[in-house]
Amino acid sequence: MKVPPYRERRCQLAQRLHLAGGGIAILPTAPERRRNGDSDHPFRHDSHFHHLSGFDEPQSWLVLRSDGHSVLFCRTHSPERAIWDGPRLGPEQAPAVLGVDEAHPLERLDELLPALIAQSPVVWSVFAAADHTSGALARWTVAAALLGDSTPAAHQDLGPLLDEMRLIKDEHEIATMRRAAVISAGAHARAMRYCAGRFRANPAAAVREYEIEAELLHEFRRHGAQSPAYPSIVAAGANACVLHYAAGNATLRAGELCLIDAGCELDGYASDITRTFPATGRFDPAQRELYEIVLAAQDAAVAVTRPGARQRDAHHAAVKVLAQGMLDTGLLDRQKVGDVEAVMATGAYRQFYMHGTGHWLGRDVHDVGEYLALDEPPLEQPDEEGRTVVRQPSRLLRPGMVVTLEPGLYVRPAPGVPERFWHMGIRIEDDAVITPTGCDLISREVPVSVAEIEALMRG
Ligand code: GLY
Ligand code: MN
Ligand code: MN
C-alpha cells in the first residue's frame, strides 16, 4: 500500500515555515454549520486542514512547528456520543493512525496553545478563515503575552504557502482526481441516456430538471463519491443562459438543449464537467452550428494547454474561435463590429461569452493558487475592453497543475441576433491535468462530439 502523503506534506510545509522565519502554524478544520432548527449541513472538512492531516472529524485543530513537530487536537472518545454519532478516533489513537507526533483532547487547546505561541516568533494562520479562528487566536495570543517576557509573536498569513503547495498535485491527488472525473463522466452519460429513453418512450414527454439531477446523484453515490463538488446545474432550454442556474422544477422538452454542469467530490477532490446535449438525442441545424463553434473553441484551448504556456492562453485561444464563430453565424454583425481582431479588442464577444475559460481544480472546485506570475515584470496587454493596461502576465503552466477548459456561448434575444439561436446556452467543460508534454483530459469518458453524443443517446 502507498504511504499516506500527509506526513510528507506536513514536512514540506514545516520546511517552508522554517525558510520564512519559523514559528508555528495553527489550522482548524471547518466549522459545523447549522442548516435550520437543530439540523446541521452535512459536515465537510476544511480543504487545507485535510490536505495536511487526512482527518475528517469536525472540531479538530492541527498545530505544526517549523521544526516539523505536529500536534493534533481532537474530540475524545465518548461512549454516549458513540451511540448517537458513531465512534471518534480520539487522541489516544491519533498518533498511530494519522502519524502526528502528539494528540490532545480538544478541551486542552486553551491550556496548551498559549505556551506554544509564547515560544514562537511567528504565528501562521489562514487569514481567509479568520471569521471562525480570530477569537481563539486572539485569546491565546493575549494569554501567551502574559506567560513570559518574550516579544509577542507576529501573525502571518499561512494561506499563500498552502495555496502554492496545493497548486501542484502529487500522484496520489491526480489518481483521486482521475477517479472523480470518471465517475462524473459516467453520471453525464447516464443523464444523456435517461433523457433519450424518456423521449423515446414518449416524444411529448416533459422531463423535469430535478429528475435529471437525481440521475447524476445516483451515479455519484453509487460509485462512492461523497457528494456533488458544487450545486449541480441542470438547465433546460433557455435556463442555460443563466450561468449559475441550479437544477430546478423546469421542464425539458423535445427540441430543446439541456446543459448540465455537475461533478462529484471524491475523497476531498472535485471534478467539474459540463455537457450540452439535445433532449431527444438529435441536434437540430442551429444547435449543431453553435455547438460546433464551442467545441472548436475548446479544441483550441486544449491545444495551447501545456507546460510553458500561460494560464490565460487557453482563454485567448477560445475567444478567438468563438469570435470568429459569432461573425460567421451572424450573432455579431461584421458591418458594426469589424473583424475578429476588432471583436477581441473591443470585447464585443462578451455579449455571448462573458466568463473565463478555466480555473484551477483540486480540493475546491475553484481551487486555490495564484493566477498571476507575481515574480515576473508587468507587461503591457489589452484588458477586456481592449484598452492597453500594464499588468502581471498570467502564470506559466507546469506539470501537476489541473485546470478546467470551459468555453461557451449564451444567446439572449436581442435586436439583430438571428432568432433561430435565441435562448440557446451551450458550454463544454473538461478537466485537464498538465503533463510534461501537454495536457491530459481526464473527463472524456463522456462523449463530446456531436456524432458521439448522438450515438450514445441512440444506443
Ligand atoms: N461548475 C463551476 C464552474 O464551472 O466553474
Ligand atoms: Mn469550471
Ligand atoms: Mn463547471
Side-chain angles (χ1 to χ4, degrees):
M1 207 181 80
K2 281 192 118 172
V3 180
Y6 307 105
R7 186 199 281 270
E8 172 61 30
R9 290 182 191 147
R10 290 193 293 271
C11 287
Q12 270 180 30
L13 178 61
Q15 275 166 13
R16 291 183 192 209
L17 293 179
H18 179 73
L19 291 174
I24 54 170
I26 303 178
L27 197 75
T29 193
E32 293 164 286
R33 301 215 189 256
R34 191 49 50 97
R35 181 175 184 275
N36 65 302
D38 63 353
S39 297
D40 285 350
H41 282 286
F43 177 71
R44 162 54 160 82
H45 56 251
D46 174 76
S47 296
H48 284 323
F49 175 86
H50 196 266
H51 192 67
L52 296 170
S53 66
F55 190 46
D56 56 14
E57 285 189 22
Q59 301 181 30
S60 319
W61 292 70
L62 179 69
V63 179
L64 181 69
R65 284 197 324 229
S66 60
D67 64 2
H69 188 85
S70 56
V71 188
L72 185 87
F73 291 84
C74 62
R75 302 178 309 180
T76 47
H77 176 65
S78 151
E80 165 69 9
R81 291 318 312 170
I83 292 170
W84 291 90
D85 309 324
R88 298 168 174 179
L89 180 65
E92 299 78 11
Q93 294 195 70
V97 174
L98 303 174
V100 291
D101 298 305
E102 280 177 52
H104 301 287
L106 189 59
E107 292 73 20
R108 295 193 67 196
L109 274 168
D110 280 349
E111 173 199 339
L112 298 178
L113 262 287
L116 283 166
I117 290 176
Q119 296 156 9
S120 303
V122 185
V123 173
W124 297 84
S125 64
V126 177
F127 287 2
D131 56 343
H132 83 107
T133 58
S134 55
L137 284 176
R139 208 169 60 240
W140 299 330
T141 307
V142 169
L146 297 173
L147 276 181
D149 50 13
S150 55
T151 330
H155 286 260
Q156 290 220 42
D157 191 3
L158 183 61
L161 290 185
L162 281 171
D163 294 356
E164 201 59 22
M165 275 178 69
R166 280 174 48 194
L167 180 57
I168 309 289
K169 275 72 182 172
D170 62 30
E171 263 175 73
H172 177 95
E173 298 182 279
I174 288 178
T176 307
M177 291 186 74
R178 279 184 193 281
R179 290 204 308 279
V182 168
I183 294 170
S184 298
H188 280 262
R190 181 186 178 105
M192 288 179 190
R193 284 195 200 96
Y194 177 80
C195 291
R198 290 291 308 278
F199 286 103
R200 205 176 299 126
N202 173 13
V207 179
R208 299 284 194 155
E209 290 167 345
Y210 56 72
E211 296 173 55
I212 304 170
E213 183 188 20
E215 296 296 313
L216 299 167
L217 278 172
H218 178 100
E219 196 72 8
F220 291 170
R221 286 298 280 146
R222 113 189 159 89
H223 290 289
Q226 287 78 7
S227 71
Y230 53 90
S232 300
I233 296 172
V234 178
N239 291 337
C241 293
V242 180
L243 297 179
H244 285 166
Y245 184 82
N249 296 337
T251 32
L252 176 68
R253 296 191 185 275
E256 290 183 322
L257 291 175
C258 179
L259 182 153
I260 298 180
D261 182 344
C264 68
E265 177 176 299
L266 177 72
D267 301 340
Y269 287 84
S271 50
D272 184 7
I273 303 181
T274 307
R275 289 291 183 267
T276 310
F277 57 92
T280 55
R282 287 283 294 178
F283 286 87
D284 74 23
Q287 291 167 347
R288 186 180 177 130
E289 210 176 332
L290 290 196
Y291 189 90
E292 296 283 17
I293 294 167
V294 179
L295 188 56
Q298 201 204 32
D299 287 343
V302 172
V304 298
T305 297
R306 55 182 145 71
R310 295 192 184 272
Q311 191 273 338
R312 283 288 281 186
D313 291 353
H315 184 63
H316 294 304
V319 164
K320 192 166 184 186
V321 174
L322 293 171
Q324 183 66 56
M326 291 174 202
L327 293 170
D328 294 345
T329 51
L331 283 175
L332 287 176
D333 181 350
R334 224 180 279 268
Q335 309 303 324
K336 291 199 184 122
V337 296
D339 62 7
V340 173
E341 272 65 40
V343 169
M344 292 178 70
T346 57
Y349 65 87
R350 288 163 65 82
Q351 182 180 353
F352 305 107
Y353 183 49
M354 57 299 279
H355 59 75
T357 300
H359 49 84
W360 308 131
L361 182 71
R363 288 180 170 271
D364 300 322
V365 64
H366 298 156
D367 206 29
V368 294
E370 176 57 57
Y371 283 91
L372 299 177
L374 297 178
D375 54 350
E376 292 184 41
L379 285 180
E380 280 198 352
Q381 42 189 312
D383 72 2
E384 304 300 348
E385 264 72 50
R387 292 172 300 230
T388 300
V389 290
V390 176
R391 60 180 173 198
Q392 296 305 124
S394 77
R395 146 166 227 179
L396 292 170
L397 296 177
R398 283 168 48 192
M401 290 173 165
V402 184
V403 294
T404 63
L405 298 169
E406 50 178 305
L409 281 176
Y410 312 90
V411 186
R412 292 166 188 276
V417 174
E419 254 186 83
R420 63 203 188 100
F421 298 128
W422 284 11
H423 301 299
M424 279 188 209
I426 297 170
R427 178 165 64 256
I428 303 171
E429 175 173 27
D430 282 286
D431 303 343
V433 176
I434 312 302
T435 63
T437 53
C439 72
D440 185 5
L441 298 178
I442 59 176
S443 49
R444 278 291 175 88
E445 297 223 352
V446 55
V448 71
S449 73
V450 165
E452 284 170 345
I453 289 176
E454 289 187 346
L456 179 139
M457 293 183 73
R458 261 197 313 275

